[in-house]
Amino acid sequence: MHTKKALIRRPGPRLAEGLLTHLERTPVDVELALRQWEGYVAALHAHGWQTLEVAPADDCPDAVFVEDAVVVFRNVALIARPGAETRRGETAGMEEAVVRLGCSVNRVREPGTLDGGDVLKIGDTIYVGRGGRTNAEGVRQLRAVFEPLGARVVAVPVAKVLHLKSAVTALPDGTVIGYDPLVDSPSLFAPFLPVPEEAGAHVVLLGGGKLLMAASAPKSAELFADLGFDPVLVDISEFEKLEGCVTCLSVRLRELYG
Ligand code: CIR
């Protein structure tokens, strides 16, 4: 049977202290964040995803942004080495989780840094953003792990946003979507569709044309619906205050089982 599994990590008590790079700090309602996280997880369940919780890393305020701790291609995991030192404590629990799932494990090693949020997979192409969190050595190590498996690794500069996937993700047909003012090099992606809102650049592919998106991107949702996709909107306002988006709140592992 085709099982869709996703790794998640519940928000910890220090969530409100999460890192900020591009936004001014505004108060985060941790209770509301927990309810929004439960809504996000419920949306995954409603669309056939089984979720597995990664052990909490409560000393790390940003641990809920679980996607940053790993990259999985086929059944091979590359454990990240977060560019932000305060996030390094997030990877041990992730390593345990992917081992439980039967992945083989590689680790980004010093002096490499790499955040999972900088990695966008479209079929066998893996785009990796070289930016504030992922350095050239991290890119090299990612290539060394995934190219032998048949991946085409394409490195792209990221300067305008935190992570590559803060700027671009992809629709089920492979069209890359992004909010033009925040995409460093749109010409690197083809086909590329500009969207009308920053949060409209972030979609999680739920399967069957369904797109999990932030409620803060209604015009982009309308655009996608008009193209024959089915947007599923969730309110993640408290995570957006911390520069998080729908993509980074889970690690989807379709590849392992599809
Ligand atoms: C951070 O700065 O690391 C967190 N406050 C936000 C991480 C969001 N992750 C992502 O976009 N992949």
Side-chain angles (χ1 to χ4, degrees), residues 91-224:
T91 55
M94 175 54 78
E95 183 162 338
E96 280 166 29
V98 294
V99 165
R100 270 205 308 277
L101 284 168
C103 292
S104 62
V105 171
N106 300 266
R107 294 185 201 97
V108 176
R109 293 175 198 282
E110 200 180 350
T113 64
L114 179 124
D115 278 16
D118 276 318
V119 179
L120 171 66
K121 292 171 288 174
I122 305 177
D124 284 343
T125 299
I126 302 180
Y127 291 98
V128 53
R130 190 280 181 249
R133 298 284 174 89
T134 296
N135 65 14
E137 180 55 23
V139 171
R140 264 184 222 114
Q141 293 184 27
L142 177 124
R143 277 199 196 106
V145 169
F146 294 127
E147 278 182 348
L149 303 178
R152 183 173 75 104
V153 176
V154 181
V156 302
V158 171
K160 296 183 180 173
V161 287
L162 180 63
H163 287 123
L164 174 64
K165 272 190 289 191
S166 319
V168 290
T169 62
L171 294 173
D173 59 14
T175 300
V176 174
I177 51 174
Y179 179 58
D180 242 343
L182 296 181
V183 183
D184 286 279
S185 321
S187 63
L188 285 174
F189 306 102
F192 176 79
L193 174 68
V195 298
E197 296 139 323
E198 179 176 352
H202 315 138
V203 297
V204 168
L205 308 185
L206 291 171
K210 295 203 166 62
L211 311 175
L212 185 62
M213 299 179 56
S216 57
K219 289 188 204 138
S220 308
E222 225 171 272
L223 168 66
F224 301 145

Side-chain angles (χ1 to χ4, degrees), residues 19 62 65 67-68 87 117 133 162-163 242-245 248:
L19 291 171
D62 286 306
F65 303 117
E67 183 189 57
D68 290 324
R87 301 200 60 185
R133 298 284 174 89
L162 180 63
H163 287 123
L242 296 166
E243 302 184 9
C245 45
C248 55

Side-chain angles (χ1 to χ4, degrees), residues 45-84:
H45 292 163
H47 295 92
W49 290 78
Q50 185 186 336
T51 54
L52 301 154
E53 279 198 42
V54 178
D58 283 348
D59 288 343
C60 299
D62 286 306
V64 68
F65 303 117
V66 67
E67 183 189 57
D68 290 324
V70 73
V71 179
V72 182
F73 181 74
R74 309 231 171 101
N75 64 338
V76 176
L78 176 61
I79 302 296
R81 184 165 181 272

